[in-house]
Amino acid sequence: MHRWARRLLLCALAVPWPAHAALQVTAESGATAADAEASRRLVQATLPRLPPVLRDWDATLQLGWRDDLPAQVHGRIRGRRILLDRALLAAWQDGSAGEGRDAAVTALVHEVAHAWDHGPGRISRDPRTLDLAGWQVRPLWPGRGARNAFNARSPDAYELASPAEFVAVNVEHFLLDPAYACRRPALHAHFAAHFGWSPEAPACAATLPYVDAGALADADAAPLLELDPARVVAVDYLLAGDGEAMSSRWGHSMLRLVVCAPGRAPGPDCRLDLDHHRVLSFRAFVDDLQLSSWRGLTGGYPSRLFVLPLQQVVDEYTRVEMRPLASIPLRLSAGEIAALLERAARVHWSYDGRYRFVGNNCAVETWKLLHDGLPRASAADLASITPKGLLRRLRRAGLVDDSAVPADADEARRFGYRFEPWNAHYQALYDTAREILALEHAAVADWLRMAPAQRAPWLQRGDMRASAALLLLEEAALRREEQQARDALKRLVFRAGDAGRSAYRRATDVPGDGLLPILAEALREGGALASPSALLSLPGYGLPLAAERTQARTGAGARAARLRALEDRLRAAARDRLPRATRESLEQAEANVAALGARLRGLHEAEGGVAF
């Protein structure tokens, strides 16, 4: 070693090196001895709760106490000065006030999180943080929405004030609430990745809870769906074809979950378990007695994520609205499916968006769910305001697996990749009856447009084959009559403007068995199912834990039962309010179905069959 190098080394060893860098939180100058001592003990209790990277942060913060902070404000940060409410100090000094001592630690963690975020952390500026937090990207304009619509099931409404406050509030819970990992798993993982560390947390349930809207129609359905992501083998983009109404003229975007039946090992055969598949569908929840196109255009209705049985959705579109459904597989890994389902669960329990026909419709909401749930989707240019446009962009981004769909149309239908409207099926049924009975019309649509009374004489002339075909057609005609009756009722009872609003207020305030009170009650009951957080009174936030799930299951089941009972009362009350011609047409359609059922039973018995 050269002589000059040896001297340099000896000098370096002789000079004291600075201690390991660490976060310092000291009492502000001028503090009383008591305040300084209480501050020291509070800091000693708080710093060990922080992540190592934050404890090793080379920064000095000053802690002071104030009597002049606004009500409900526990602390403020000004540069490197933390100012806390003096009431917290009093609670901290009182050793018996456990809740107060926790509040002092929480407030200090909150302000230290602000200091870190304003300094090297910058986590509130991270696009992924904003995605998970709820400041969603806008589809038509650059930037993000100013409003965070994830306002249900919040641990503290203050988190919605700004991204910086969201980060500070959530860092509190990440560090101090062991249940945070189960209540907000995606955010917990995000903070753990940011800090390179996470506190100990309990094991979380393997399933994600959703209120199943199918329980409204099926008394035997479980009102709370406990969905295990490991049993969801695929997610499809489910596209409904164009409808006749203005609001459905561009189709409808949904996501289909391919769920394996109990006992089946996850794999391709799960596509055959149609009864277990579910659909995630964003819809405008019409929560008043007036239906307004203007409100739909301007965001007057809530936008909610409904979870529906696949078969219910198929029937709704193919049998009632006569619209096709295409189920296009998305190219997602198992981890991406789990992340998407967790995001959907958070949206289901916490989101209260506003439906807008152009700017926040089903396509936009579906895009935002994919964008916020999947980092790979957020990196792609998927923004679209139409369902077909979104599908094109998904294909362009490589997120669609068209190779999985059989090229043969019959195979695609057999394996549930395509669901055809019943027009062709009804035409085939009608052709069968027409050949046997020599019916006049060539098109089934012309037959169904006939008044039910005009069709009635033909229903007693067919053999077993023709009568069975006509029964299915009459059931379709009855569904159409019921839809027309509902439309007539809306036009009759609910008028736009002040009269309609007054009617709603009277209906809401006055109990009774009349039509309006029953409708108002049904809307109140249905609103809780459209917004699942309304089912819970237990304290909590984020995804419901075990006790909250039990309460939600009980509450959803009870409300579904009440809604089914209300539907029976509503039918009885509404029938008397229908115009005479509409009521008679509906009653004749019901009589046609009953007559055909009786005829089929009679023909079956006449041929020596067992009565049914």
Side-chain angles (χ1 to χ4, degrees):
M1 181 179 292
H2 292 290
R3 184 178 300 173
W4 63 266
R6 188 181 298 111
R7 289 177 179 174
L8 182 62
L9 177 61
L10 291 174
C11 290
L13 293 174
V15 175
W17 286 81
H20 176 66
L23 175 64
Q24 302 290 323
V25 183
T26 61
E28 66 179 350
S29 60
T32 66
D35 284 1
E37 175 60 19
S39 298
R40 184 188 65 79
R41 290 190 293 111
L42 174 60
V43 170
Q44 284 184 336
T46 303
L47 290 188
R49 312 289 290 272
L50 301 179
V53 68
L54 223 166
R55 294 198 301 269
D56 294 341
W57 177 30
D58 185 11
T60 300
L61 306 176
Q62 288 189 329
L63 175 60
W65 303 91
R66 291 291 180 272
D67 296 315
D68 56 354
L69 294 178
Q72 307 304 318
V73 173
H74 286 174
R76 288 279 171 81
I77 187 163
R78 296 288 184 267
R80 292 299 177 93
R81 296 179 63 214
I82 294 175
L83 309 175
L84 298 184
D85 186 355
R86 183 170 291 279
L88 299 177
L89 178 63
W92 173 258
Q93 290 171 317
D94 182 358
S96 64
E99 184 175 342
R101 293 174 67 87
D102 292 343
V105 171
T106 299
L108 182 54
V109 167
H110 184 103
E111 302 308 330
V112 170
H114 272 312
W116 171 258
D117 184 43
H118 295 164
R122 301 180 63 84
I123 188 171
S124 67
R125 301 163 184 79
D126 176 27
R128 186 62 185 152
T129 303
L130 299 174
D131 290 342
L132 294 173
W135 277 276
Q136 297 178 305
V137 175
R138 296 181 297 186
L140 297 177
W141 300 274
R144 297 176 182 268
R147 174 178 176 260
N148 188 327
F150 288 77
N151 51 25
R153 300 281 297 164
S154 171
D156 184 348
Y158 194 42
E159 70 172 348
L160 306 178
S162 69
E165 293 301 342
F166 185 92
V167 165
V169 169
N170 280 265
V171 167
E172 291 175 24
H173 289 80
F174 170 72
L175 297 177
L176 305 177
D177 181 7
Y180 187 78
C182 303
R183 293 188 177 279
R184 287 186 168 175
L187 281 161
H188 180 275
H190 183 63
F191 285 118
H194 174 79
F195 291 117
W197 170 90
S198 66
E200 291 186 8
C204 302
T207 60
L208 295 168
Y210 305 87
V211 174
D212 195 339
L216 293 178
D218 184 0
D220 296 326
L224 191 71
L225 175 66
E226 299 271 5
L227 188 60
D228 184 354
R231 300 195 62 76
V232 181
V233 296
V235 176
D236 290 3
Y237 183 73
L238 190 62
L239 176 64
D242 302 347
E244 295 180 359
M246 183 186 71
S247 60
S248 60
R249 199 160 294 164
W250 290 272
H252 184 65
S253 295
M254 297 165 280
L255 295 177
R256 171 189 177 184
L257 309 180
V258 180
V259 185
C260 301
R264 188 191 292 277
D269 288 346
C270 294
R271 281 206 169 265
L272 303 175
D273 300 329
L274 299 184
D275 288 344
H276 298 274
H277 296 186
R278 290 297 182 270
V279 173
L280 305 179
S281 178
F282 285 95
R283 302 184 176 199
F285 175 66
V286 182
D287 58 348
D288 67 8
L289 299 183
Q290 287 187 180
L291 300 179
S292 165
S293 297
W294 176 249
R295 289 188 66 187
L297 287 169
T298 59
Y301 294 123
S303 177
R304 302 277 167 74
L305 178 59
F306 289 81
V307 181
L308 302 157
L310 173 65
Q311 193 58 54
Q312 179 178 326
V313 174
V314 170
D315 289 345
E316 175 186 350
Y317 284 100
T318 63
R319 299 183 66 175
V320 178
E321 298 189 20
M322 301 297 176
R323 297 163 64 183
L325 282 169
S327 192
I328 303 105
L330 297 180
R331 202 185 301 273
L332 303 178
S333 68
E336 287 176 322
I337 290 174
L340 181 62
L341 294 177
E342 191 279 321
R343 182 64 183 182
R346 181 159 188 245
V347 172
H348 184 62
W349 288 97
S350 300
Y351 181 65
D352 184 22
R354 311 308 297 174
Y355 175 84
R356 290 180 177 83
F357 181 66
V358 175
N360 203 47
N361 54 32
C362 63
V364 174
E365 292 283 30
T366 303
W367 159 64
K368 290 192 296 186
L369 176 59
L370 292 168
H371 178 280
D372 297 344
L374 305 175
R376 185 158 61 102
S378 67
D381 180 17
L382 298 180
S384 176
I385 61 171
T386 67
K388 294 175 185 176
L390 177 55
L391 178 58
R392 286 193 297 270
R393 290 171 180 263
L394 287 167
R395 281 199 170 100
R396 192 183 309 154
L399 287 167
V400 169
D401 186 9
D402 284 313
S403 64
V405 181
D408 181 75
D410 291 335
E411 283 289 288
R413 285 190 289 269
R414 189 164 74 88
F415 285 99
Y417 291 101
R418 184 165 179 84
F419 302 91
E420 299 293 350
W422 277 51
N423 308 58
H425 181 59
Y426 288 147
Q427 184 64 50
L429 290 171
Y430 179 69
D431 289 342
T432 298
R434 180 170 176 257
E435 180 182 354
I436 296 171
L437 297 174
L439 299 175
E440 174 184 358
H441 298 292
V444 66
D446 295 331
W447 168 262
L448 294 176
R449 274 194 289 267
M450 293 172 60
Q454 291 177 291
R455 296 193 303 267
W458 295 96
L459 306 182
Q460 298 301 319
R461 302 177 186 179
D463 60 8
M464 178 79 74
R465 190 160 169 251
S467 297
L470 289 175
L471 176 60
L472 291 175
L473 292 177
E474 284 303 310
E475 288 175 343
L478 177 57
R479 285 193 293 271
R480 177 176 292 188
E481 291 288 344
E482 290 174 338
Q483 181 62 51
Q484 291 173 349
R486 283 193 290 269
D487 292 341
L489 193 63
K490 284 188 291 187
R491 289 193 299 270
L492 176 70
V493 179
F494 311 124
R495 306 297 187 202
D498 293 337
R501 286 190 287 273
S502 299
Y504 174 59
R505 293 191 195 100
R506 291 195 302 273
T508 304
D509 296 338
V510 181
D513 291 327
L515 179 62
L516 287 175
I518 298 173
L519 275 172
E521 186 178 355
L523 289 170
R524 285 193 297 271
E525 296 288 353
L529 295 180
S531 181
S533 62
L535 296 168
L536 299 174
S537 60
L538 293 171
Y541 64 93
L543 301 184
L545 301 187
E548 297 160 286
R549 294 187 189 196
T550 299
Q551 185 182 55
R553 185 178 299 107
T554 301
R559 286 181 183 271
R562 288 198 293 271
L563 277 168
R564 289 192 294 270
L566 282 168
E567 183 178 359
D568 294 337
R569 289 173 56 199
L570 188 58
R571 285 176 178 271
R575 186 158 301 209
D576 293 337
R577 299 290 297 274
L578 289 171
R580 179 177 176 180
T582 303
R583 182 174 66 251
E584 290 178 350
S585 183
L586 177 61
E587 291 172 348
Q588 182 62 57
E590 292 171 336
N592 286 355
V593 171
L596 274 170
R599 179 166 179 78
L600 279 171
R601 287 191 294 271
L603 291 171
H604 184 70
E605 293 175 18
E607 293 181 4
V610 179
F612 61 91

